[in-house]
Amino acid sequence: MKKIFTRPEALTDLPFHYCPGCTHGIAHRLVAEVIDEMDIYERALGIAPVGCSVFIYNYLDIDMYQAAHGRAPAVGTGIKRVLPDRLVFTYQGDGDAAAIGTGELVHAAARGEKITVLFINNAVYAMTGGQMAPTTLLGQKTTTTPYGRDKDANGLPVKVCEMLAPLDGSAYLARVSLHNPKHIMMAKKAIRKAFEVQMRGDGFTLVEILSSCPTNWGLPPLEALKWLEEKMIPYYPLGEYKTPAEEVQI
Ligand SMILES: Cc1ncc(C[n+]2csc(CCOP(=O)(O)OP(=O)(O)O)c2C)c(N)n1
Ligand code: SF4
């Protein structure tokens, strides 16, 4: 019988520890599938963040580092400069990348570091109990905005792709979503393209991946996917925000 679905080689056998309906596991799997398909198992090197996905180093069967709060792009910069033939990526939540480590993220992009940031935007600090993140939507209730995020009191949500696009060092920026199979396939294509652009040496690459956190959003898994589609995508439009002048073939 023809096998149509297998576990990617770049994933270990460990079951994910994530809550039911969390899309971190889907994002991990996509990364592993791309590593398999690009045949870069020996060369891929990932950097784990703080947050729920800190344990990604247990799930990806490749060389992995773990960086302290928000420092993943700086660690990735060092590794890539020492080992320029490696595919180097960070995997970071919005609290890690867009709040705690904004400086590292912005300057890695400005310098045009040849790394890829996989930026998981679930609109909350999930692991620490669902506090407001820079990406929390206006009106969204979190443990630190119990009446909903308010523009005057809490500021406006940060759009990371739009923020990095004007920087000359950024080469590929895309925002994708994991709310249904079609978009999961599109997310995989964007991750692959970011990796290809990195390996071609064009500059900094980032894929923002809109993800669900049913636990901290207080929603059952399916409703969380619906909330992602209906509430998050209008504020965070999907698409490619920056592509190299010369397209990579994927
Ligand atoms: C009390 C406390 N404050 C701060 C931290 C540092 N910290 C570790 S994980 C985390 C949240 C990360 O959130 P995010 O990057 O959005 O990832 P997610 O958990 O949503 O995947 C923070 C602030 C901590 N561990 N404990
Ligand atoms: S708290 Fe949220 S982000 Fe963390 S594992 Fe659970 S659903 Fe996923």
Side-chain angles (χ1 to χ4, degrees):
M1 197 197 296
K2 192 179 162 207
K3 230 182 197 181
I4 54 166
F5 193 76
T6 55
R7 198 172 181 83
E9 261 189 66
L11 269 191
T12 63
D13 286 337
L14 277 182
F16 295 132
H17 73 286
Y18 300 112
C19 311
C22 177
T23 43
H24 265 307
I26 295 175
H28 288 11
R29 187 186 167 94
L30 294 184
V31 177
E33 284 181 1
V34 170
I35 289 169
D36 278 11
E37 286 168 23
M38 287 176 70
D39 200 14
I40 48 169
Y41 189 78
E42 300 289 334
R43 282 200 288 163
L45 199 154
I47 298 147
V50 298
C52 287
S53 56
V54 59
F55 295 124
I56 188 173
Y57 49 64
N58 288 331
Y59 305 132
L60 290 184
D61 197 9
I62 57 169
D63 289 344
M64 294 291 296
Y65 279 72
Q66 206 274 324
H69 308 79
R71 300 316 67 116
V75 173
T77 295
I79 294 167
K80 184 74 180 191
R81 288 186 180 199
V82 173
L83 302 169
D85 64 328
R86 291 293 197 112
L87 180 282
V88 176
F89 67 91
T90 71
Y91 185 103
Q92 300 174 262
D94 41 63
D96 185 279
I100 312 166
T102 321
E104 279 76 5
L105 178 71
V106 171
H107 288 287
R111 294 192 305 270
E113 300 296 343
K114 298 171 186 64
I115 61 172
T116 300
V117 171
L118 300 175
F119 169 56
I120 305 293
N121 179 358
N122 60 15
V124 280
Y125 280 62
M127 187 204 206
T128 45
Q131 296 91 341
M132 187 192 88
T135 47
T136 297
L137 297 177
L138 285 180
Q140 184 182 340
K141 289 185 179 165
T142 70
T143 50
T144 47
T145 55
Y147 301 110
R149 183 177 187 163
D150 172 68
K151 175 167 74 71
D152 296 327
N154 314 114
L156 291 160
V158 174
K159 296 179 173 182
V160 165
C161 286
E162 290 88 333
M163 175 175 76
L164 300 179
L167 299 175
D168 290 337
S170 60
Y172 180 72
L173 303 169
R175 184 180 291 124
V176 296
S177 169
L178 301 178
H179 66 281
N180 66 25
K182 177 182 154 198
H183 283 85
I184 290 170
M185 296 317 292
M186 288 163 74
K188 181 174 168 183
K189 273 192 170 175
I191 294 169
R192 174 143 189 183
K193 194 160 167 181
F195 284 0
E196 298 274 1
V197 172
Q198 178 194 152
M199 294 311 267
R200 213 172 62 172
D202 284 354
F204 179 86
T205 53
L206 175 141
V207 182
E208 175 172 345
I209 303 170
L210 302 185
S211 298
S212 69
C213 177
T215 300
N216 287 297
W217 295 354
L219 295 171
L222 283 179
E223 278 182 43
L225 294 177
K226 206 161 158 240
W227 188 88
L228 192 170
E229 182 179 11
E230 292 175 0
K231 304 283 187 211
M232 284 186 80
I233 294 176
Y235 191 81
Y236 296 114
L238 305 182
E240 292 184 320
Y241 283 78
K242 194 145 180 198
T243 54
E246 198 190 313
E247 283 292 297
V248 284
Q249 298 302 318
I250 57 173

CSV table of all heavy atoms in Angstrom, one decimal, residues 2 10 19 37 47 55 75 79 91 111 125 140 158 162 172 184 188 191 202 207 213 215 220:
chain,number,residue,atom,x,y,z
A,2,LYS,N,0.5,2.2,-0.8
A,2,LYS,CA,1.3,3.5,-0.8
A,2,LYS,C,1.0,4.3,0.5
A,2,LYS,O,-0.1,4.5,0.9
A,2,LYS,CB,0.8,4.3,-2.1
A,2,LYS,CG,1.7,5.4,-2.4
A,2,LYS,CD,1.3,6.2,-3.6
A,2,LYS,CE,1.9,7.5,-3.6
A,2,LYS,NZ,1.2,8.6,-4.3
A,10,ALA,N,12.7,14.6,10.7
A,10,ALA,CA,13.2,15.6,11.6
A,10,ALA,C,12.5,15.8,12.9
A,10,ALA,O,12.8,16.7,13.7
A,10,ALA,CB,13.4,16.9,10.8
A,19,CYS,N,-1.3,22.0,24.8
A,19,CYS,CA,-2.7,21.8,25.1
A,19,CYS,C,-3.5,21.4,23.9
A,19,CYS,O,-3.1,21.7,22.8
A,19,CYS,CB,-3.4,23.2,25.6
A,19,CYS,SG,-2.5,24.1,26.8
A,37,GLU,N,12.1,17.8,3.3
A,37,GLU,CA,12.0,18.0,1.9
A,37,GLU,C,13.2,18.7,1.3
A,37,GLU,O,13.6,18.4,0.1
A,37,GLU,CB,10.7,18.7,1.6
A,37,GLU,CG,9.5,17.8,1.8
A,37,GLU,CD,8.2,18.6,1.8
A,37,GLU,OE1,8.1,19.7,1.2
A,37,GLU,OE2,7.2,18.0,2.3
A,47,ILE,N,17.0,27.5,17.1
A,47,ILE,CA,17.2,28.1,18.4
A,47,ILE,C,15.8,28.2,19.1
A,47,ILE,O,14.9,28.9,18.6
A,47,ILE,CB,17.9,29.5,18.3
A,47,ILE,CG1,19.2,29.2,17.7
A,47,ILE,CG2,18.0,30.2,19.7
A,47,ILE,CD1,19.7,30.3,16.8
A,55,PHE,N,10.3,23.8,24.6
A,55,PHE,CA,10.6,22.4,24.5
A,55,PHE,C,10.7,22.0,23.0
A,55,PHE,O,10.8,20.8,22.8
A,55,PHE,CB,9.6,21.5,25.2
A,55,PHE,CG,9.7,21.8,26.7
A,55,PHE,CD1,8.5,22.1,27.4
A,55,PHE,CD2,10.8,21.6,27.4
A,55,PHE,CE1,8.6,22.3,28.8
A,55,PHE,CE2,10.9,21.8,28.8
A,55,PHE,CZ,9.8,22.2,29.5
A,75,VAL,N,21.7,35.1,19.3
A,75,VAL,CA,22.4,33.8,19.3
A,75,VAL,C,22.5,33.2,17.9
A,75,VAL,O,23.5,32.7,17.4
A,75,VAL,CB,21.6,32.8,20.2
A,75,VAL,CG1,22.2,31.4,20.1
A,75,VAL,CG2,21.7,33.3,21.7
A,79,ILE,N,25.8,32.1,15.6
A,79,ILE,CA,26.0,30.8,15.0
A,79,ILE,C,26.2,30.9,13.5
A,79,ILE,O,27.1,30.2,12.9
A,79,ILE,CB,24.8,29.9,15.3
A,79,ILE,CG1,24.7,29.6,16.8
A,79,ILE,CG2,24.8,28.6,14.6
A,79,ILE,CD1,23.4,29.1,17.3
A,91,TYR,N,12.8,30.1,16.7
A,91,TYR,CA,11.3,29.8,16.8
A,91,TYR,C,10.9,30.5,18.0
A,91,TYR,O,11.3,30.2,19.1
A,91,TYR,CB,11.1,28.3,16.9
A,91,TYR,CG,9.7,27.9,16.9
A,91,TYR,CD1,9.1,27.3,15.8
A,91,TYR,CD2,8.9,28.0,18.1
A,91,TYR,CE1,7.8,26.9,15.8
A,91,TYR,CE2,7.6,27.6,18.1
A,91,TYR,CZ,7.0,27.0,17.0
A,91,TYR,OH,5.7,26.6,17.0
A,111,ARG,N,20.5,44.5,10.2
A,111,ARG,CA,21.9,44.1,9.8
A,111,ARG,C,21.8,43.2,8.6
A,111,ARG,O,22.9,42.8,8.0
A,111,ARG,CB,22.7,43.5,10.9
A,111,ARG,CG,23.0,44.4,12.1
A,111,ARG,CD,24.0,43.7,13.0
A,111,ARG,NE,23.6,42.4,13.5
A,111,ARG,CZ,22.9,42.2,14.6
A,111,ARG,NH1,22.5,43.1,15.4
A,111,ARG,NH2,22.5,40.9,14.9
A,125,TYR,N,1.0,36.2,26.0
A,125,TYR,CA,2.1,35.5,26.7
A,125,TYR,C,1.4,34.3,27.3
A,125,TYR,O,0.7,34.3,28.3
A,125,TYR,CB,2.6,36.3,27.9
A,125,TYR,CG,3.5,37.5,27.6
A,125,TYR,CD1,3.2,38.6,26.9
A,125,TYR,CD2,4.8,37.4,28.2
A,125,TYR,CE1,4.0,39.6,26.7
A,125,TYR,CE2,5.7,38.5,27.9
A,125,TYR,CZ,5.3,39.6,27.2
A,125,TYR,OH,6.2,40.6,27.0
A,140,GLN,N,-9.3,42.8,23.3
A,140,GLN,CA,-9.1,41.4,23.7
A,140,GLN,C,-8.8,41.3,25.2
A,140,GLN,O,-8.0,42.1,25.8
A,140,GLN,CB,-7.9,40.8,23.0
A,140,GLN,CG,-7.6,39.3,23.3
A,140,GLN,CD,-6.4,38.8,22.5
A,140,GLN,OE1,-5.9,39.4,21.6
A,140,GLN,NE2,-5.8,37.7,23.0
A,158,VAL,N,1.2,45.6,17.9
A,158,VAL,CA,2.4,45.7,17.0
A,158,VAL,C,2.3,44.8,15.8
A,158,VAL,O,2.0,43.6,16.0
A,158,VAL,CB,3.7,45.4,17.8
A,158,VAL,CG1,4.9,45.4,16.9
A,158,VAL,CG2,3.9,46.4,18.9
A,162,GLU,N,5.1,44.4,9.1
A,162,GLU,CA,5.0,45.8,8.6
A,162,GLU,C,6.2,46.6,9.2
A,162,GLU,O,6.7,47.5,8.6
A,162,GLU,CB,3.7,46.4,9.0
A,162,GLU,CG,2.5,45.9,8.2
A,162,GLU,CD,1.9,44.7,8.8
A,162,GLU,OE1,2.6,43.9,9.5
A,162,GLU,OE2,0.7,44.4,8.6
A,172,TYR,N,13.0,38.6,3.2
A,172,TYR,CA,11.7,37.9,3.0
A,172,TYR,C,10.9,38.0,4.3
A,172,TYR,O,11.4,37.6,5.3
A,172,TYR,CB,12.0,36.5,2.6
A,172,TYR,CG,10.7,35.7,2.3
A,172,TYR,CD1,9.9,36.0,1.2
A,172,TYR,CD2,10.2,34.8,3.3
A,172,TYR,CE1,8.7,35.3,1.0
A,172,TYR,CE2,9.0,34.1,3.1
A,172,TYR,CZ,8.3,34.4,1.9
A,172,TYR,OH,7.1,33.8,1.7
A,184,ILE,N,-2.5,26.0,6.3
A,184,ILE,CA,-1.4,25.3,6.8
A,184,ILE,C,-0.4,25.0,5.7
A,184,ILE,O,0.8,25.2,5.8
A,184,ILE,CB,-1.8,24.0,7.5
A,184,ILE,CG1,-2.6,24.4,8.8
A,184,ILE,CG2,-0.6,23.1,7.8
A,184,ILE,CD1,-3.3,23.3,9.5
A,188,LYS,N,3.5,26.4,5.1
A,188,LYS,CA,4.6,25.5,4.8
A,188,LYS,C,5.4,26.1,3.7
A,188,LYS,O,6.7,26.1,3.7
A,188,LYS,CB,4.2,24.1,4.5
A,188,LYS,CG,5.3,23.1,4.2
A,188,LYS,CD,4.7,21.7,4.1
A,188,LYS,CE,5.8,20.8,3.5
A,188,LYS,NZ,5.3,19.5,3.3
A,191,ILE,N,7.5,29.0,4.9
A,191,ILE,CA,8.7,28.6,5.7
A,191,ILE,C,9.8,28.1,4.7
A,191,ILE,O,10.9,28.5,4.9
A,191,ILE,CB,8.3,27.5,6.7
A,191,ILE,CG1,7.3,28.0,7.7
A,191,ILE,CG2,9.5,26.9,7.4
A,191,ILE,CD1,6.7,27.0,8.6
A,202,ASP,N,20.5,36.1,0.8
A,202,ASP,CA,19.9,37.4,0.5
A,202,ASP,C,19.7,38.3,1.7
A,202,ASP,O,19.6,39.5,1.5
A,202,ASP,CB,18.5,37.2,-0.2
A,202,ASP,CG,18.6,36.8,-1.6
A,202,ASP,OD1,19.8,36.8,-2.1
A,202,ASP,OD2,17.6,36.5,-2.2
A,207,VAL,N,9.0,34.6,9.1
A,207,VAL,CA,7.6,34.1,8.8
A,207,VAL,C,6.8,34.3,10.1
A,207,VAL,O,7.1,33.7,11.1
A,207,VAL,CB,7.5,32.7,8.3
A,207,VAL,CG1,6.1,32.3,7.9
A,207,VAL,CG2,8.4,32.5,7.0
A,213,CYS,N,-4.3,29.8,20.8
A,213,CYS,CA,-4.0,29.4,22.2
A,213,CYS,C,-5.3,29.3,22.9
A,213,CYS,O,-5.8,30.2,23.7
A,213,CYS,CB,-3.1,30.5,22.9
A,213,CYS,SG,-2.9,30.2,24.7
A,215,THR,N,-6.3,27.7,25.4
A,215,THR,CA,-6.3,27.7,26.9
A,215,THR,C,-6.4,29.2,27.4
A,215,THR,O,-7.2,29.5,28.2
A,215,THR,CB,-5.0,27.1,27.4
A,215,THR,OG1,-5.0,25.7,26.9
A,215,THR,CG2,-4.9,27.1,28.9
A,220,PRO,N,-12.9,26.7,23.3
A,220,PRO,CA,-12.6,25.4,22.8
A,220,PRO,C,-11.8,25.4,21.5
A,220,PRO,O,-11.9,26.4,20.8
A,220,PRO,CB,-14.0,24.8,22.6
A,220,PRO,CG,-15.0,25.8,23.1
A,220,PRO,CD,-14.3,27.1,23.2
